[in-house]
């Protein structure tokens, strides 16, 4: 019936794995749980404990495979006709999480379940991703934005497209998968969210943002994903600047106001606009 796939990297996912198992048993369905550790260097005691759970199939990689390749590999090893991808830093908040997906087990299906905001207060060290999650990620279902955080897909459909493992590092591999899948299948968006526990501190989050901006430029140079990229606000701003031949001017202006932008982004009153300006600065300075 369903294979639940959980790639792990530097996160304690014990409670998540246990809850997946409990809900599958309660639902009385045919299932398997596949967990893969992508060469973690942290949380090793927790990951080693998970590897001994008798109800999972565990894979360990000595070298980091990357976000795309490890998910593809889990899908290849899955036994059932439907795949449920869950990120390792997720928390199940509904007792009916698994049951809520069961009505969608049908041919050619792809369903995104959504993301819920981390429920507890966080210090100012986490302000940027907290702001982004509150204003953007929690509205993904409403706005029909797809990510790999929490989605169900027909295995044959997934194997026909898969994540593009040439997209290395952080960012956009899920957007490109959704673009290719949606050419033949309507992606459904339902209210079955997982809580995003893995909120990064500001410095680490900005490093991910930089990597995502660099990946965006690689997509422009290597792949014909123009239609998919046209839906990205940052990409549209960047292409408009190029079209107006203002890259050098804007790069210079952003260079001089960069300290002010960064201070604003890391403040309590951060905004999507200031974060977008910072991303535009990163992408302009990622060009070769």
């Amino acid at each position: 019936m369903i294979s639940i796939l959980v790639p792990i990297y530097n996160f304690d996912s014990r409670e998540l794995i246990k809850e997946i198992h409990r809900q599958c048993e309660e639902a009385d369905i045919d299932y398997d749980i596949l967990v893969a550790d992508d060469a973690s260097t942290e949380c090793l005691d927790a990951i080693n404990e998970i590897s001994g759970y008798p109800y999972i199939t565990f894979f360990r990689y000595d070298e980091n495979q990357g976000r795309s390749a490890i998910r593809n590999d889990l899908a290849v090893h899955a036994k059932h006709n439907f795949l449920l991808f869950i990120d390792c830093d997720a928390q199940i908040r509904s007792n009916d999480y698994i049951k809520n997906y069961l009505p969608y087990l049908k041919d050619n299906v792809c369903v995104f379940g959504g993301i819920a905001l981390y429920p507890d207060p966080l210090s100012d060290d986490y302000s940027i991703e907290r702001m982004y999650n509150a204003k953007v990620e929690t509205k993904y279902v409403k706005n029909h934005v797809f990510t790999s955080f929490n989605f169900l897909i027909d295995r044959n459909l997934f194997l026909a497209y898969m994540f593009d493992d040439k997209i290395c590092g952080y960012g956009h591999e899920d957007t490109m998968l959704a673009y290719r899948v949606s050419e033949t299948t309507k992606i459904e968006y339902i209210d079955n969210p997982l809580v995003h526990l893995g909120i990064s501190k500001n410095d680490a989050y900005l490093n991910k943002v930089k990597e995502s901006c660099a990946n965006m430029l690689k997509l422009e140079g290597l792949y014909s994903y123009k239609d998919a990229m046209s839906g990205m606000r940052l990409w549209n701003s960047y292409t408009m600047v190029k079209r107006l031949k203002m890259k050098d001017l804007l790069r210079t202006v952003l260079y001089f106001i960069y300290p002010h932008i960064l201070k604003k982004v890391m403040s309590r009153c951060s905004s999507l606009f200031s974060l977008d300006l910072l991303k535009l600065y990163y992408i302009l300075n990622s060009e070769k």
Side-chain angles (χ1 to χ4, degrees), residues 127-129 131-132 135 205-206 209 213 233-234 254 257-282:
S127 62
I128 306 175
E129 188 168 9
M131 179 275 296
Y132 186 82
K135 294 185 176 181
Y205 184 70
L206 289 181
V209 169
C213 290
R233 187 171 64 246
L234 174 62
L254 290 176
I257 66 173
Y258 170 75
H260 174 74
I261 298 171
L262 186 61
K263 182 178 180 180
K264 176 70 172 178
V265 166
M266 300 191 66
S267 71
R268 287 188 177 185
C269 55
S270 180
S271 66
L272 288 177
F273 176 72
S274 57
L275 183 58
D276 284 346
L277 279 180
L278 190 63
K279 290 177 178 179
L280 194 55
Y281 171 81
Y282 288 151

Side-chain angles (χ1 to χ4, degrees), residues 50-66:
I50 291 170
S51 70
Y53 291 171
Y55 48 80
I56 71 166
T57 301
F58 186 83
F59 303 89
R60 191 190 303 273
Y61 297 89
D62 295 327
E63 295 184 5
N64 188 268
Q65 304 298 301

Side-chain angles (χ1 to χ4, degrees), residues 15-211:
E15 294 308 312
L16 172 64
I17 304 301
K18 290 175 183 176
E19 181 62 12
I20 292 170
H21 174 249
R22 186 192 71 78
Q23 290 201 15
C24 288
E25 288 291 306
E26 185 178 273
D28 193 24
I29 58 173
D30 292 331
Y31 73 97
D32 60 340
I33 304 172
L34 287 75
V35 180
D37 171 45
D38 200 10
S40 292
T41 57
E42 303 172 16
C43 303
L44 297 182
D45 288 344
I47 294 169
N48 285 335
E49 180 180 320
I50 291 170
S51 70
Y53 291 171
Y55 48 80
I56 71 166
T57 301
F58 186 83
F59 303 89
R60 191 190 303 273
Y61 297 89
D62 295 327
E63 295 184 5
N64 188 268
Q65 304 298 301
R67 295 168 57 84
S68 295
I70 193 169
R71 287 167 172 79
N72 291 344
D73 201 34
L74 283 170
V76 169
H77 286 93
K79 295 191 296 188
H80 294 292
N81 294 335
F82 299 95
L83 309 177
L84 177 56
F85 285 90
I86 300 176
D87 276 10
C88 66
D89 57 348
Q91 180 187 64
I92 297 175
R93 70 174 187 178
S94 168
N95 287 327
D96 295 323
Y97 171 74
I98 294 294
K99 290 179 181 177
N100 288 341
Y101 271 125
L102 298 185
Y104 296 91
L105 301 185
K106 52 190 177 183
D107 291 346
N108 219 40
V109 72
C110 183
V111 184
F112 176 66
I115 302 174
L117 190 64
Y118 188 88
D120 300 323
L122 290 167
S123 70
D124 290 347
D125 291 340
Y126 297 86
S127 62
I128 306 175
E129 188 168 9
R130 177 73 172 188
M131 179 275 296
Y132 186 82
N133 290 356
K135 294 185 176 181
V136 179
E137 283 197 345
T138 56
K139 298 179 175 64
Y140 278 172
V141 167
K142 177 183 176 182
N143 296 328
H144 288 191
V145 177
F146 179 91
T147 81
S148 59
F149 183 74
N150 167 28
F151 77 100
L152 174 79
I153 189 168
D154 180 309
R155 183 173 184 266
N156 289 331
L157 178 63
F158 179 81
L159 293 178
Y161 296 104
M162 307 182 79
F163 288 105
D164 190 337
D165 59 13
K166 297 183 182 66
I167 304 176
C168 301
Y170 180 86
H172 306 302
E173 73 286 340
D174 42 11
T175 305
M176 299 309 140
L177 173 68
Y179 167 68
R180 290 182 289 164
V181 168
S182 63
E183 290 185 310
T184 59
T185 301
K186 182 180 179 181
I187 299 175
E188 300 184 64
Y189 294 83
I190 66 170
D191 184 23
N192 194 29
L194 295 173
V195 176
H196 183 196
L197 294 181
I199 308 295
S200 300
K201 287 189 174 182
N202 289 342
D203 288 345
Y205 184 70
L206 289 181
N207 285 334
K208 291 196 292 186
V209 169
K210 289 178 186 177
E211 196 169 354

Side-chain angles (χ1 to χ4, degrees), residues 223-242:
Y223 310 102
S224 42
Y225 285 135
K226 291 183 180 179
D227 289 343
M229 296 173 74
S230 67
M232 301 177 186
R233 187 171 64 246
L234 174 62
W235 183 253
N236 290 335
S237 299
Y238 172 68
T239 53
M240 181 181 68
V241 169
K242 285 202 305 180

